[in-house]
C-alpha cells in the first residue's frame, strides 16, 4: 500500500511537510515511532493520525501524520 509520511502541525494537527512515500503493508497505528531518512536529513516521528483512502479503482492509499520528536 502506498504510504505517505507528513509532519503534523503541533497545534492544529493539520498536514505539513511531506517527507516521503513508500510501499508498506505494515499496520501503522497512532503512537508508533519511526525514523525517516531523506537525503541528508533524519527525522524521528511519532504517528498521531492515520488516514486510509479507498479509491474508485480499488487502490488503497494511506497518509500518516507525525509529530517530530
Amino acid at each position: 500500500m502506498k504510504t505517505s509520511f507528513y509532519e503534523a502541525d503541533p497545534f492544529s494537527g493539520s498536514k505539513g511537510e511531506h517527507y516521503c512515500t513508500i510501499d508498506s503493508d505494515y499496520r501503522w497505528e497512532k503512537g508508533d515511532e519511526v525514523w525517516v531518512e531523506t537525503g541528508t536529513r533524519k527525522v524521528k516521528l511519532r504517528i498521531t493520525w492515520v488516514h486510509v483512502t479507498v479509491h474508485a479503482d480499488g487502490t488503497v492509499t494511506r497518509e500518516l501524520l507525525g509529530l517530530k520528536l
Side-chain angles (χ1 to χ4, degrees), residues 27-59:
R27 184 173 182 217
W28 295 95
E29 296 181 0
K30 182 178 177 179
D32 285 350
E33 294 182 359
V34 61
W35 283 99
V36 177
E37 295 184 22
T38 58
T40 59
R41 289 188 346 173
K42 185 175 178 181
V43 179
K44 187 174 185 180
L45 299 174
R46 177 174 291 134
I47 304 303
T48 58
W49 188 69
V50 179
H51 179 93
V52 177
T53 303
V54 179
H55 300 277
D57 64 358
T59 60

Side-chain angles (χ1 to χ4, degrees), residues 3-22:
T3 303
S4 298
F5 291 86
Y6 293 90
E7 180 179 353
D9 180 274
F11 301 103
S12 68
S14 62
K15 188 179 355 175
E17 181 181 354
H18 176 255
Y19 288 114
C20 65
T21 299
I22 63 171

